[in-house]
Amino acid sequence: IHWTKHPANPVLDVGPEGAWDSALVSKPRVVKTADGFKMMFVGQNGTRENRNISQFFGYALGIANSADGAAWERYDLNPVITPARGEFGMLWHGGVTGAEAGGEYFAYYTLGSTREDRTGLRIYRATSPDGLSWTPGTDPVIDLGLPGSYDDTDVFAPNVLQEESLFKMWYT
């Protein structure tokens, strides 16, 4: 109920000029590990359209690590997930789960666009054995619904919780 703002805010700021995350860091999702904490976050490199930060280009996902949840260090090989060549859209993620007792990490993220003649945001999953090296899935785990359904245009903003071996996803 009662919260105290940490004196070192922000705990993760934008990267240096020209970096993959120089314009924006957002959507942090944190998972507890045996060594502390891992954070996956969205970065944007400042790509602009009509003088505004682009909604469609320049996004990637990165990792930061912390022993105490307050002091964070970016992973040296960021970004860990970027859109494949030719893809564009808002690359947002919905959390990192797994890796308990030596298991695999899972990250769920949205990729795609409703811009021009391209349609549909879809939800994908990436896997990692260590929370640092990620392999993006090639097919969506949640695709567009049937024509006329509530999710026939876009599916995005996944939030995933893991309860033992059961995964639960809420999405828009």
Side-chain angles (χ1 to χ4, degrees), residues 47-61:
T47 298
R48 301 207 175 252
E49 291 181 288
N50 303 322
R51 296 185 301 227
N52 297 316
I53 289 181
S54 174
Q55 302 180 67
F56 302 103
F57 298 100
Y59 290 89
L61 301 179

Side-chain angles (χ1 to χ4, degrees), residues 59-117:
Y59 290 89
L61 301 179
I63 295 289
N65 296 297
S66 174
D68 61 5
W72 292 90
E73 290 194 26
R74 283 174 169 78
Y75 178 50
D76 289 338
L77 300 178
N78 277 337
V80 295
I81 300 175
T82 58
R85 182 175 298 211
E87 290 178 324
F88 69 97
M90 296 189 83
L91 182 61
W92 297 114
H93 70 93
V96 179
T97 61
E100 293 182 20
E104 194 169 35
Y105 287 92
F106 304 103
Y108 298 87
Y109 60 96
T110 301
L111 183 62
S113 178
T114 56
R115 186 175 183 208
E116 297 171 3
D117 62 341

Side-chain angles (χ1 to χ4, degrees), residues 5-13 70-72:
K5 184 176 177 181
H6 191 275
N9 275 317
V11 295
L12 189 70
D13 207 346
W72 292 90

Side-chain angles (χ1 to χ4, degrees), residues 9-43:
N9 275 317
V11 295
L12 189 70
D13 207 346
V14 294
E17 188 172 332
W20 72 276
D21 59 352
S22 62
L24 173 136
V25 291
S26 182
K27 304 285 186 192
R29 299 296 173 101
V30 176
V31 63
K32 178 108 175 78
T33 66
D35 301 341
F37 302 90
K38 283 197 183 311
M39 174 195 304
M40 181 172 271
F41 63 96
V42 175

Side-chain angles (χ1 to χ4, degrees), residues 102-161:
E104 194 169 35
Y105 287 92
F106 304 103
Y108 298 87
Y109 60 96
T110 301
L111 183 62
S113 178
T114 56
R115 186 175 183 208
E116 297 171 3
D117 62 341
R118 297 184 176 134
T119 59
L121 298 167
R122 292 164 172 86
I123 299 170
Y124 291 82
R125 181 178 88 154
T127 58
S128 172
D130 58 8
L132 299 173
S133 173
W134 291 88
T135 303
T138 56
D139 297 316
V141 294
I142 304 287
D143 207 337
L144 301 180
L146 296 173
S149 66
Y150 73 96
D151 57 356
D152 68 348
T153 304
D154 292 301
V155 291
F156 60 98
N159 280 296
V160 177
L161 296 176

